[in-house]
Amino acid sequence: MLSKKCKYAIHALVYLAEKYQQGPVHISEIAQKKHIPKKFLEAILLELRKSKVLLSKKGKGGGYYLHQKPSDVNLMDIIRIMDGAIALLPCVSLNYYEKCDECRNEKSCGIRDSFIQVRDKTLSILGGSTLDKILKYEKSMASK
Amino acid sequence: MLSKKCKYAIHALVYLAEKYQQGPVHISEIAQKKHIPKKFLEAILLELRKSKVLLSKKGKGGGYYLHQKPSDVNLMDIIRIMDGAIALLPCVSLNYYEKCDECRNEKSCGIRDSFIQVRDKTLSILGGSTLDKILKYEKSMASK
DNA sequence: TTATAAATCTATTAATTCTATAGATATTAA
DNA sequence: TTAATATCTATAGAATTAATAGATTTATAA
């Protein structure tokens, strides 16, 4: 399961993709529209800014906005920033690998093999899920 | 990420699949061979017994053993028993569904769509990963 | 120059979950 | 009757998650 923090981050980013190139958006606006606790969202957006996903402008008329085009931001990257590993086992993670105590010979571990498959499929789907595709999907479904 | 409890459960079950039809196996033996804290493993095996995955025999010469053939036990079922939902979002889970506060119209949510794909691929891979296949894989790799 | 509105930073906390352990009890086989 | 085993109840420390509070900094506009 993704953490709430991560889920909030995704929703906030989809909202900012909708407002892409329309100037900075207030935290309060996002919090209200997406039903996210404001103070919590504050910390989330700050984290996304530090990871170069967002840019911000302080002071009056300030707010947050996307650093890149919506087509350059995907769910895989967001989840890794907010929650860390995507793989279901540490010994199978590409970015957050940790050795497993249970098996001596990693290569012959039949458990790993299944989770490597899950990891690769998941990365492929999430890596292809960009903010613009998510928006397009929502607009195509809204008319139905 | 799977919990350690779940990972321990999988390793223990693979071990019991190896000893299938060779009588009950002691907790201590599994704990030692798989490097799992004994008392923790105790709770895990008890949970698997209550879920009908294992059977047990008390007293001298007792222990735990598989209730079904190794080909009838798969990772999907084990993970659901130990950790609950497999889906990455509650609003996309088949067995542990929960409504999402962030989106009004679930059907038109572009985020859900991606996670439904991840869920289905994951279930398909894990559902097909049975204990006997895991064992076969290990034996085929051990000779290399 | 000043007032205001916004992000930023530091700290804290409540709740929950995870991981693990301790000790008493029940059961079975020899 | 004894020893070996699972079973049950309770507990607890650690880590993580989710959320809040309040002070500070920065930028804009009047």
Side-chain angles (χ1 to χ4, degrees), chain B residues 17-134:
Chain B
E18 223 178 309
K19 307 281 175 183
Y20 185 58
Q21 287 184 324
Q22 297 177 30
V25 182
H26 307 170
I27 294 178
S28 315
E29 179 183 338
I30 307 170
Q32 202 184 1
K33 286 283 171 61
K34 293 293 185 175
H35 311 101
I36 302 171
K38 194 195 158 196
K39 269 287 178 181
F40 199 13
L41 182 59
E42 225 179 71
I44 292 166
L45 297 181
L46 203 55
E47 202 171 333
L48 288 170
R49 194 192 67 96
K50 284 177 180 161
S51 309
K52 320 278 189 197
V53 175
L54 294 179
L55 292 173
S56 66
K57 196 182 171 194
K58 282 187 172 185
K60 205 167 191 171
Y64 283 97
Y65 54 103
L66 287 182
H67 183 47
Q68 293 173 288
K69 285 178 297 186
S71 58
D72 287 335
V73 184
N74 67 65
L75 295 182
M76 178 183 75
D77 294 336
I78 301 170
I79 294 173
R80 280 186 173 148
I81 290 168
M82 303 310 292
D83 277 1
I86 287 174
L88 292 177
L89 290 180
C91 64
V92 142
S93 169
L94 295 174
N95 289 249
Y96 299 84
Y97 173 84
E98 268 176 64
K99 201 182 162 306
C100 205
D101 291 330
E102 290 78 30
C103 49
R104 299 166 203 164
N105 185 356
E106 223 173 52
K107 289 210 173 130
S108 71
C109 177
I111 296 170
R112 276 186 98 240
D113 182 56
S114 302
F115 288 105
I116 287 172
Q117 289 178 48
V118 172
R119 178 201 68 194
D120 289 341
K121 274 291 170 197
T122 303
L123 290 181
S124 142
I125 295 168
L126 296 179
S129 297
T130 55
L131 294 181
D132 74 313
K133 281 190 190 166
I134 292 172

Side-chain angles (χ1 to χ4, degrees), chain A:
Chain A
M1 278 278 173
L2 302 186
S3 67
K4 282 201 172 189
K5 192 171 78 162
C6 186
K7 197 172 63 157
Y8 290 160
I10 294 170
H11 280 285
L13 287 170
V14 170
Y15 189 79
L16 289 175
E18 221 178 310
K19 306 282 176 184
Y20 184 58
Q21 286 184 325
Q22 298 178 29
V25 183
H26 308 169
I27 294 178
S28 315
E29 180 183 335
I30 307 170
Q32 202 184 359
K33 286 282 171 61
K34 292 293 185 173
H35 311 102
I36 303 171
K38 195 196 157 197
K39 270 288 181 183
F40 198 12
L41 181 58
E42 228 179 70
I44 292 166
L45 297 182
L46 204 55
E47 201 170 334
L48 288 170
R49 194 192 68 96
K50 284 177 179 161
S51 308
K52 318 281 190 196
V53 175
L54 294 178
L55 292 174
S56 65
K57 196 183 171 192
K58 280 190 172 185
K60 206 167 189 175
Y64 283 97
Y65 54 104
L66 286 182
H67 184 46
Q68 294 173 288
K69 285 178 297 184
S71 58
D72 287 336
V73 184
N74 67 64
L75 294 182
M76 179 184 73
D77 294 336
I78 301 171
I79 294 172
R80 280 187 173 148
I81 290 168
M82 303 310 293
D83 277 1
I86 287 175
L88 292 177
L89 290 180
C91 65
V92 142
S93 169
L94 295 174
N95 288 250
Y96 299 83
Y97 172 85
E98 268 175 65
K99 201 184 164 304
C100 205
D101 290 332
E102 290 77 28
C103 47
R104 299 165 205 165
N105 184 359
E106 222 173 52
K107 288 208 174 133
S108 71
C109 176
I111 296 171
R112 274 187 99 239
D113 182 55
S114 302
F115 287 105
I116 286 172
Q117 290 178 47
V118 171
R119 179 201 67 193
D120 289 341
K121 274 292 172 197
T122 303
L123 289 181
S124 143
I125 295 168
L126 295 179
S129 297
T130 56
L131 294 181
D132 74 312
K133 279 190 192 166
I134 292 173
L135 275 184
K136 270 179 201 155
Y137 180 90
E138 295 197 348
K139 290 195 172 135
S140 78
M141 293 304 283
S143 59
K144 285 180 185 171

